[in-house]
Amino acid sequence: MNQKYEPELKKEVIRLYLEEGRTVKSLTDEYNLGNGTLRYWLKHTHKECDEQTEETDAELQRLRKQNAELRKENDFLKKAAAFFAKEID
């Protein structure tokens, strides 16, 4: 039987499983879910998290590289400012 569930219900049941440590059996019984429904949701949730983690890691790597370049530029500008300050005196 292919039944549609509200996204809010999915989120709440997954939250109860992940954060409160409820068992699949207790949640399936309490929310009257079909066999394997919660396991299917959890499987897809893990895949989505893995994809987001990969994207986040790539963005983090890009930002670290950009940060290093900006630090080098900032250090150069500090040295240049010190040099020109000496020239003025």
Side-chain angles (χ1 to χ4, degrees), residues 22-30 38-39:
R22 300 274 306 273
T23 65
V24 172
K25 174 91 170 106
S26 71
L27 291 168
T28 301
D29 291 344
E30 182 177 337
L38 179 54
R39 292 191 190 282

Side-chain angles (χ1 to χ4, degrees), residues 11-24:
K11 288 178 185 177
E12 178 63 15
V13 172
I14 290 171
R15 185 192 68 76
L16 290 170
Y17 176 81
L18 295 174
E19 294 178 7
E20 295 185 11
R22 300 274 306 273
T23 65
V24 172

Side-chain angles (χ1 to χ4, degrees), residues 51-65:
E51 290 170 2
Q52 289 175 349
T53 301
E54 290 172 10
E55 292 171 6
T56 303
D57 289 345
E59 178 70 4
L60 181 60
Q61 184 177 5
R62 184 190 69 77
L63 290 172
R64 284 183 175 158
K65 184 178 179 180

